[in-house]
Amino acid sequence: MKTSKNTLMKKMKSIFAVLLLSAGVLLFNSCGKSNNNSTNPTSNGNVPVQDANVSIQNFAFSPATVRVKIGGTVTWTNKDATPHTATDLNGSFDSGSLPVDQTYKATFNTAGTFTYHCTIHSMMPNATVIVGN
Ligand SMILES: [Cu+2]
């Protein structure tokens, strides 16, 4: 009786240690991720980049504004579990229904500000591609 209790305690202790370790690893990983984000290149900054990436996640375009050079390409990736579109309000580009995990690319050869939205979900906030050198 005493022996089996001790064994149980040992088991619980090792399970607890594993849990603690995984929590630590998770914490460490999330720190690393946020660091990576803050050192991400300037696709949403003041300097236009050649190519920019936009994630569609949690029913939002992220980053909501990207700046690319004339001739630059924007790649949208649907990271949600439901289809979305990236559709220019003035019709200059339209991904159509973009399935989960798929990407859509548009190349911008004209300077300007392109506001776009998702035609499937009207509650999703508009987003912007700014093109200019
Ligand atoms: Cu959508």
Side-chain angles (χ1 to χ4, degrees), residues 47-129:
V47 181
V49 295
Q50 186 61 41
D51 301 308
N53 295 307
V54 176
S55 296
I56 316 175
Q57 198 160 20
N58 300 322
F59 291 83
F61 298 98
S62 177
T65 301
V66 290
R67 281 173 187 263
V68 293
K69 294 178 178 173
I70 294 170
T73 298
V74 177
T75 302
W76 285 267
T77 303
N78 183 3
K79 295 183 175 176
D80 264 339
T82 182
H84 291 292
T85 80
T87 307
D88 179 44
L89 296 184
N90 295 314
S92 65
F93 63 90
D94 184 4
S95 68
S97 181
L98 188 63
V100 174
D101 288 331
Q102 297 299 299
T103 59
Y104 167 71
K105 287 176 191 283
T107 299
F108 294 85
N109 294 312
T110 326
T113 298
F114 300 84
T115 303
Y116 65 94
H117 68 155
C118 171
T119 58
I120 301 172
H121 307 105
S122 57
M123 76 288 193
M124 282 175 65
N126 289 354
T128 308
V129 178

Side-chain angles (χ1 to χ4, degrees), residues 22-40:
S22 356
V25 167
L26 279 176
L27 211 64
F28 181 78
N29 277 344
S30 59
C31 282
K33 267 179 192 159
S34 64
N35 280 347
N36 283 346
N37 282 344
S38 63
T39 56
N40 215 2

